[in-house]
């Protein structure tokens, strides 16, 4: 069962309108150390790196993904 | 004579200026009062390219070169002379960045061959990326072999005589077309710089437009060549930056520690300094001399480099280099190349500080030279740390470390932004583009560059950046500008809530980014080029960098490197505003070419506006014009229709 969340906060929306939003309900935590934020650790071997290059940096390293520049003849 | 409170918005700087004054120490701030800029040189009207001159081509008071023609002895007109001087500045800036890039390529090769102990490939992913860029086979080959090939391919870019630089291919296709059409694609880095010096020699290229076109080619050889090589190969050697917490201001110096400051630009040595300072033997030596430990801090771009990779604190930006010594606790200041004031040994004489030069390209009278070579780098670093430890017991004079110290987050490489916005599953600039399209983020601005004592230190950077983020413009930064804003507390995620407009703040809160993003040192402006390209390729914001709601600025610039950077921003399609002074005002014709004529050629132009708020307004106006052209000038919230609304629609 969900507990009722009481904390509410007033915020200004991007267009200037005041809105009421749910306030923070998390336990304040502490960063778990520099290494935790190191996303490169998720790439374990060369194959994974090359695979990630083809998705993460697909516009440069993937043969079939040109994003907004999809065209038959490259410049 | 200005009050110290008018010289800087940084309280630590003001405090140390007072100390310097009391102790009779000369600094750039005070020298700027005594040495006035030469009015003829300042507006670019002085040519000293041959011994028939120097010719000072002064126009009659109140006249412009559009009405009258004055020439040098050889007949060179004001616009030719202005264009020549401008091209020479670009060439010098590009040479500085590129020589830095070359040193990194040489170190990578030496490291991969096992000839540079202490260095190794730290980022295999980045190496793979470069191997693909240079068309080098990867397969199962040993990492060292690939690194040697990548290093050699990078090195070959400097001496290449024909063809095109490899990284040009990374730019948006439309931009490449523009460069091809104009014939400004750089062939080889050194070649373009040499040709710039040739063209500007007496009696060679005497057409301002032709000189400017070559200036574009040289600048592109910097941004998409030398600088990009520097950035990318440093990432391979030292790791691609990821967000990291740092501290800034002279308050990071520790009175009870041996303090070593690394200053300059190349992180090759400073990386080793970090290792040497952690060496147990060195720590024991420091303790034996009565110190609690060894504290390494940085100034200028070296600071940015080691901060982004090791979290080493920053003692200050360009104009704080002398003041760091004035604290009385700097035992050694180690310098390599670029932005190092010749006054340092003189300032150091008033204290116990050792000034140590380390590059064979940069010697300073009065400094100790401990030359650094990559094959023996750790030993050189140890010798430097030892010199600092020896100096520690000889501290003289009053110690005063301003208590100011500010936390901030740095280390946003293009790759990390890509990852932060899209995660591992689909790294992407999509959320950024979407938020620009929906109007929460109005646009993006790159605010970069130096400090200049001709304006109030840091004030112009901070005022401009605050104005931009207040108006929902996300700011990307490098160099001393990033350090200035870090000191002002703008580089933390919390700054979004305090200083940014509602839309930008909302996005920053969602993705946990600061509203001002520190992307590195001056050579790392190439990261901004890649971020802009990624935004184009992601789609929805036009098909060229010039279509993006984006602008660039260097509001406190002083270095020739800044002119080169500005020119490659413009040549890449970014509207770019400079402050402080403008080096071509002596020729209205040439200045018009830069401020208006370029638009037709590269769809971007230069502008000059010393007032930071007005400059920010110009940038915002440009951003708004681009939004309008893209048809995204009205904020559109996505509306989820319910049944009633649908019925209403159908009834229409
Ligand atoms: S090149 Fe021409 S303008 Fe320049 S110093 Fe010589 S004579 Fe004078
Ligand atoms: S921003 Fe300018 S002053 Fe600062 S380190 Fe770079 S070139 Fe030097």
């Amino acid at each position: 069962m969900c507990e009722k969340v009481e904390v509410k906060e007033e915020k200004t929306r991007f267009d200037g309108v005041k809105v009421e939003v749910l306030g923070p309900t998390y336990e304040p935590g502490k960063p778990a150390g520099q290494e935790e934020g190191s996303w490169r650790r998720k790439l374990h071997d060369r194959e994974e790196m090359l695979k990630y290059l083809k998705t993460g940096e697909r516009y440069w390293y993937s043969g079939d993904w040109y994003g907004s520049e999809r065209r038959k003849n490259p410049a | 004579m200005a009050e110290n409170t008018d010289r800087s918005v940084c309280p630590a700087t003001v405090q140390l200026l007072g100390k310097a004054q009391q102790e009779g120490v000369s600094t750039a701030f005070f020298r700027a009062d005594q040495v006035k800029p030469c009015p003829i040189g300042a507006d670019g009207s002085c040519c000293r390219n041959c011994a028939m001159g120097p010719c000072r081509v002064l126009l009659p008071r109140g006249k412009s070169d559009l009405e009258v023609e004055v020439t040098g002895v050889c007949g060179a007109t004001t616009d030719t002379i202005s264009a020549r001087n401008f091209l020479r500045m670009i060439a010098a800036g590009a040479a500085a960045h590129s020589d830095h890039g070359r040193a990194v390529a040489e170190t990578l090769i030496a490291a991969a061959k096992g000839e540079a102990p202490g260095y190794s490939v730290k980022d295999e992913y980045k190496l793979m990326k470069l191997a693909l860029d240079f068309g080098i086979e990867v397969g199962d080959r040993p990492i060292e072999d690939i690194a040697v090939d990548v290093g050699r391919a990078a090195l070959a870019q400097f001496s290449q005589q024909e063809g095109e630089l490899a990284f040009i291919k990374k730019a948006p296709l439309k931009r490449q077309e523009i460069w091809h059409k104009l014939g400004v694609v750089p062939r080889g880095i050194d070649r373009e710089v040499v040709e710039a010096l040739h063209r500007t020699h007496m009696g060679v290229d005497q057409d301002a437009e032709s000189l400017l076109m070559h200036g574009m080619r040289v600048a592109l050889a910097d941004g998409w060549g030398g600088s990009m090589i520097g950035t990318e190969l440093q990432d391979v050697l030292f790791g691609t930056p990821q967000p990291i917490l740092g501290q800034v201001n002279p308050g990071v110096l520790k009175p009870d520690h041996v303090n070593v400051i690394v200053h300059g630009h190349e992180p090759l040595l400073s990386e080793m300094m970090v290792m040497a300072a952690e060496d147990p033997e060195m720590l024991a030596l420091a303790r034996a001399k009565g110190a609690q430990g060894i504290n390494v801090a940085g100034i200028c771009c070296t600071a940015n480099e080691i901060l982004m990779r090791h979290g080493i604190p920053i003692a200050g930006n360009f104009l704080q280099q002398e003041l760091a010594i004035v604290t009385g606790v700097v035992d050694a200041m180690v310098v390599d190349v670029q932005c190092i004031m010749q006054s340092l040994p003189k300032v150091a004489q008033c204290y116990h500080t050792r000034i140590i030069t380390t590059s064979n390209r940069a010697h300073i009278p009065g400094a100790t030279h401990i030359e650094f070579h990559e094959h023996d780098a750790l030993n050189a670093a140890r010798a430097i740390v030892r010199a600092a430890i020896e100096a520690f017991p000889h501290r003289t004079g009053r110690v005063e470390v301003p208590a100011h110290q500010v936390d901030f987050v740095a280390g946003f490489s293009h790759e990390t932004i890509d990852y932060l916005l899209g995660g591992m599953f689909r790294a992407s600039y999509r959320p950024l583009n979407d938020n620009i399209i929906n109007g929460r983020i109005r646009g993006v601005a790159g605010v970069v560059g130096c400090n200049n004592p001709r304006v109030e230190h840091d004030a112009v950077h901070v005022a401009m950046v605050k104005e931009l983020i207040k108006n929902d413009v996300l700011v990307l930064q490098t160099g001393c500008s990033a350090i200035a804003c870090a000191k002002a507390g703008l580089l933390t995620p919390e700054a979004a809530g305090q200083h940014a407009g509602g839309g930008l703040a909302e996005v920053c809160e969602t993705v946990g980014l600061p509203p001002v993003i520190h992307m590195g040192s001056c050579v790392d402006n190439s990261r901004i080029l890649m971020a802009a390209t990624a935004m184009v390729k992601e789609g929805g914001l036009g098909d060229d960098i010039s279509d993006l709601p984006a602008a660039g600025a260097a509001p406190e610039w002083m270095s020739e490197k800044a002119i080169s950077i500005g020119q490659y921003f413009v040549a890449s399609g970014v509207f770019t505003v400079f402050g402080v002074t403008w080096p071509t005002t002596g020729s209205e014709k040439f200045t018009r070419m830069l401020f208006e004529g370029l638009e037709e050629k590269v769809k971007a132009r230069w502008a000059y506006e010393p007032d930071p708020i007005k400059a920010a307004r110009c940038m915002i106006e440009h951003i708004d014009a681009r939004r309008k052209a893209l048809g995204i000038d009205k904020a559109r919230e996505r509306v989820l229709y319910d049944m009633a609304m649908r019925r209403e629609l159908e009834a229409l």
Side-chain angles (χ1 to χ4, degrees):
Chain A
M1 240 220 342
C2 284
E3 271 182 45
K4 210 173 152 214
V5 183
E6 296 295 344
V7 202
K8 296 240 171 112
E9 252 180 37
E10 194 179 78
K11 290 217 163 190
T12 313
R13 215 166 60 177
F14 71 99
D15 54 5
V17 176
K18 298 248 184 263
V19 286
E20 202 173 58
V21 295
L22 290 181
T25 54
Y26 54 83
E27 295 276 331
K30 278 208 172 121
Q34 198 73 50
E35 274 308 291
E36 285 299 304
S38 166
W39 60 274
R40 289 297 173 80
R41 290 183 322 152
K42 297 177 186 171
L43 300 168
H44 298 291
D45 55 32
R46 193 171 290 178
E47 206 181 308
E48 276 185 24
M49 288 175 195
L50 289 169
K51 219 163 88 190
Y52 180 73
L53 267 171
K54 287 192 177 163
T55 53
E57 303 258 356
R58 55 197 166 278
Y59 304 130
W60 294 278
Y61 304 108
S62 161
D64 49 23
W65 242 108
Y66 298 101
S68 65
E69 298 182 307
R70 199 191 295 265
R71 56 160 91 177
K72 278 197 193 117
N73 305 311
Chain B
M1 182 88 60
E3 292 289 325
N4 286 341
T5 42
D6 296 334
R7 295 182 194 272
S8 176
V9 282
C10 162
T13 300
V14 172
Q15 184 179 338
L16 288 170
L17 278 173
K19 184 170 189 275
Q21 239 160 356
Q22 276 169 17
E23 294 173 358
V25 179
S26 157
T27 66
F29 290 89
F30 307 133
R31 290 192 297 274
D33 291 339
Q34 290 148 11
V35 186
K36 293 286 168 218
C38 162
I40 302 148
D43 66 11
S45 304
C46 172
C47 177
R48 51 177 302 273
N49 293 6
C50 88
M52 291 189 282
C55 299
R56 308 188 311 173
V57 282
L58 288 177
L59 291 159
R61 196 179 282 271
K63 297 274 181 206
S64 98
D65 56 345
L66 302 174
E67 303 156 83
V68 283
E69 184 176 275
V70 288
T71 69
V73 177
C74 67
T77 56
T78 41
D79 51 323
T80 304
I81 290 171
S82 262
R84 268 185 193 158
N85 289 339
F86 197 68
L87 174 51
R88 284 200 164 205
M89 290 179 94
I90 296 175
H97 282 149
S98 302
D99 214 27
H100 171 167
R102 185 194 337 259
V104 186
E106 284 172 344
T107 307
L108 176 64
I109 296 172
K113 286 183 171 171
E115 293 164 4
Y119 297 108
S120 59
V121 171
K122 289 243 176 65
D123 193 337
E124 189 177 342
Y125 168 81
K126 193 71 175 231
L127 183 69
M128 294 304 119
K129 198 168 154 173
L130 288 171
L132 296 181
D133 288 336
F134 287 127
I136 288 161
E137 194 202 321
V138 174
D140 293 329
R141 297 175 69 205
I143 191 167
E144 291 77 15
D145 290 0
I146 302 172
V148 170
D149 285 355
V150 165
R152 284 201 184 125
L155 216 48
Q157 297 282 292
F158 294 90
S159 56
Q160 189 170 286
Q161 299 301 322
E162 48 196 40
E164 293 181 1
L165 294 183
F167 293 150
I168 289 292
K169 283 268 164 280
K170 303 191 93 173
L173 301 180
K174 183 97 171 277
R175 189 53 27 188
Q176 291 181 46
E177 263 171 21
I178 293 174
W179 293 336
H180 283 139
K181 213 168 96 209
L182 293 172
V184 294
V185 177
R187 297 153 292 186
I189 300 162
D190 293 354
R191 175 170 187 168
E192 306 311 351
V193 174
V194 168
E195 190 172 313
L197 295 180
H198 180 190
R199 278 177 185 249
T200 53
H201 183 277
M202 188 269 149
V204 187
D205 198 349
Q206 286 157 105
D207 177 80
E209 192 172 330
S210 160
L211 286 159
L212 176 58
M213 283 299 116
H214 187 65
M216 205 120 65
R217 184 148 55 170
V218 183
L220 290 173
D222 177 357
W224 296 86
S227 280
M228 207 170 266
I229 289 175
T231 296
E232 299 291 84
L233 268 57
Q234 277 173 186
D235 285 355
V236 173
L237 272 173
F238 309 127
T240 304
Q242 302 187 22
I244 194 164
L245 185 69
Q247 278 89 38
V248 64
N249 238 336
V252 302
L253 298 171
K254 298 181 181 165
D256 56 357
H257 278 55
V258 171
N259 289 296
V260 185
I261 287 195
V262 286
H263 168 27
H265 279 72
E266 298 180 350
L268 300 174
L269 171 70
S270 41
E271 284 278 329
M272 288 297 125
M273 293 293 302
V274 175
M275 275 170 86
E278 286 165 359
D279 185 333
E281 194 192 319
M282 293 294 140
L283 284 167
L285 202 63
R287 284 198 196 104
K289 297 277 181 192
Q292 294 296 312
I294 303 169
N295 181 35
V296 180
I299 295 250
C300 276
C301 282
T302 295
N304 287 322
E305 299 276 9
I306 54 170
L307 158 85
M308 289 197 302
R309 299 193 176 94
H310 300 285
I312 299 292
I314 298 186
N317 50 6
F318 174 68
L319 277 180
Q320 289 175 293
Q321 57 185 287
E322 292 162 311
L323 296 173
I325 299 174
V326 172
T327 60
V329 298
V330 175
D331 303 297
M333 185 178 275
V334 198
V335 302
D336 49 37
V337 289
Q338 300 169 28
C339 305
I340 299 146
M341 292 194 194
Q342 192 177 339
S343 59
L344 290 180
K346 207 155 172 218
V347 177
Q349 265 175 17
C350 305
Y351 304 89
H352 70 298
T353 311
R354 303 276 299 271
I355 303 293
I356 301 169
T357 50
T358 55
S359 165
N360 59 8
R361 287 163 291 175
H363 296 255
I364 304 178
T368 309
H369 191 70
I370 301 180
E371 199 153 305
F372 155 78
H373 298 282
E374 61 272 8
H375 60 261
D376 196 26
L378 198 51
N379 279 331
R382 280 212 193 96
I384 292 163
V385 172
R386 200 169 288 123
I389 296 171
E390 313 260 276
F392 176 80
H394 301 293
R395 284 191 185 171
T396 49
R398 202 157 52 86
V399 162
E400 186 176 327
V401 177
H404 311 277
Q405 183 179 321
V406 183
D407 286 350
F408 67 103
V409 187
F412 294 96
S413 53
H414 144 70
E415 292 82 354
T416 296
I417 297 176
D418 202 27
Y419 168 76
L420 287 177
L421 295 180
M424 214 68 190
F425 170 64
R426 168 128 307 176
S428 173
Y429 275 67
R430 191 75 247 158
L432 175 61
N433 283 21
D434 281 348
N435 280 296
I436 291 176
I437 294 166
N438 70 27
R440 281 192 178 81
I441 296 179
R442 194 167 189 163
V444 179
V447 182
V448 305
C450 327
N451 295 134
N452 189 321
R454 300 289 172 204
V455 294
E456 191 181 357
H457 171 232
D458 289 349
V460 194
H461 290 299
V462 174
M464 173 183 276
V465 168
K466 277 190 175 165
E467 183 68 16
L468 289 168
I469 59 175
K470 192 173 90 187
N471 284 284
D472 292 319
V473 176
L474 177 71
V475 176
L476 310 178
Q477 291 214 285
T478 61
C480 291
S481 185
I483 303 177
C485 292
K487 285 188 278 175
L490 300 176
L491 270 63
T492 59
E494 296 76 40
Q498 291 156 5
H499 300 281
L504 177 61
E506 216 171 283
V507 178
C508 289
E509 267 174 28
T510 312
V511 287
L513 278 177
V516 183
I517 294 183
H518 187 319
M519 293 187 83
S521 63
C522 305
V523 292
D524 293 338
N525 280 312
S526 58
R527 297 192 202 276
I528 299 186
L529 293 180
M530 287 313 294
T533 305
M535 286 167 68
V536 171
K537 290 184 182 266
E538 186 61 53
L541 294 173
D543 53 7
D544 181 27
I545 295 177
S546 62
D547 294 333
L548 295 176
E556 293 185 29
W557 76 281
M558 66 87 198
S559 156
E560 289 162 316
K561 289 178 287 172
I563 292 288
S564 180
I565 294 166
Q567 185 60 58
Y568 73 63
F569 265 62
V570 172
S572 302
V574 184
F575 166 70
T576 303
V577 193
F578 269 37
V580 188
T581 180
W582 184 253
T584 71
T585 45
S587 162
E588 198 175 331
K589 226 187 270 174
F590 184 60
T591 307
R592 277 198 191 177
M593 229 178 258
L594 297 171
F595 290 3
E596 293 163 23
L598 274 179
E599 183 84 53
E600 206 181 293
K601 291 185 164 47
V602 291
K603 300 188 177 165
R605 61 182 182 91
W606 284 93
Y608 165 59
E609 175 49 70
D611 180 315
I613 303 298
K614 283 192 195 153
R617 289 262 131 220
C618 277
M619 295 160 83
I620 294 166
E621 248 169 56
H622 172 81
I623 285 170
D624 286 349
R626 288 294 183 262
R627 294 188 65 87
K628 193 157 189 211
L630 289 166
I632 52 168
D633 49 329
K634 303 223 168 43
R636 276 184 218 135
E637 270 298 88
R638 201 163 8 154
V639 182
L640 293 176
Y641 276 37
D642 58 19
M643 274 325 279
M645 288 161 92
R646 279 186 197 288
R647 276 190 203 110
E648 219 171 282
L649 245 188
E650 271 157 26
L652 280 175

